Amino acid sequence: MFNAPLLAVLLAVSMPLLYFFQERSADNWIGLAFRPIDLSEGRYGGLVTSMLVHGGWVHVLMNAVAALTFGTPVARLFRGSVGVAVFVALYIGAGIFATFGYALVHLGSTDPLVGASGAVFGLIGAATRLLGGGGRVLPLTSRPVITTSIAWMAVNAAVGLIGFAPGVDGARIAWEAHAFGFLFGILAVGLLARLFARPDERFDSSAGLGDPRP
């Protein structure tokens, strides 16, 4: 994270920057939010624009930190001008898939959905297959991928239960969108890596131990 590619840094910085202007707008940019009922009424723009708005500083800063942390290994995998396009496509694709999945679970709901959490969970899913892989994508069936995925979904489920805790008055945390975004990222990164990956060898490690040979 502390030697992050510029792309990951720009993504993280863009979130609080956008929220700074959102907070000072007349309508708090609520028109950019997505409501599940929009699908049945033929409004699809919110699938993308909802990623640009957040519900508060805690919300936006958590997403920014996560985007920087987990976007870093993904950005290192996809380098160059093509890599930028692939990274952005993965991020936006995860966000759209997450929001669409949330809408299917809550068909007809008029509650607004905002935030880049679904897209960020797409980066988390992609990064899950990179942890311990020396800059390369691990198989879905590898033990680290399975155990880390279970841990993430357990945390996500626990977060979702906050809305049912006494005194929180049904706080709406879109844990379903997180799950759909994670699923998109963990599946898509394998195909994208086969087509476009350019691992940075500086972050790779050989299988053997010992001093490097001249």
Side-chain angles (χ1 to χ4, degrees), residues 41-116:
E41 296 179 353
R43 296 192 298 269
Y44 306 110
L47 291 170
V48 176
T49 59
S50 60
M51 289 184 268
L52 305 177
V53 291
H54 285 84
W57 278 109
V58 173
H59 188 200
V60 71
L61 291 176
M62 287 179 63
N63 277 341
V65 171
L68 179 61
T69 304
F70 298 98
T72 290
V74 180
R76 286 180 182 151
L77 181 67
F78 302 111
R79 296 182 295 125
S81 57
V82 173
V84 171
V86 173
F87 180 91
V88 172
L90 173 62
Y91 177 79
I92 295 177
I96 292 174
F97 188 79
T99 305
F100 187 80
Y102 176 86
L104 293 181
V105 175
H106 297 277
L107 276 176
S109 172
T110 58
D111 292 333
L113 175 68
V114 297

Side-chain angles (χ1 to χ4, degrees), residues 109-128:
S109 172
T110 58
D111 292 333
L113 175 68
V114 297
S117 302
V120 170
F121 261 85
L123 296 178
I124 293 175
T128 295

Side-chain angles (χ1 to χ4, degrees), residues 164-192:
F164 299 98
V168 298
D169 196 24
R172 294 184 296 274
I173 297 176
W175 63 271
E176 303 97 332
H178 300 170
F180 278 105
F182 184 90
L183 179 64
F184 183 94
I186 203 170
L187 294 177
V189 71
L191 174 61
L192 293 174

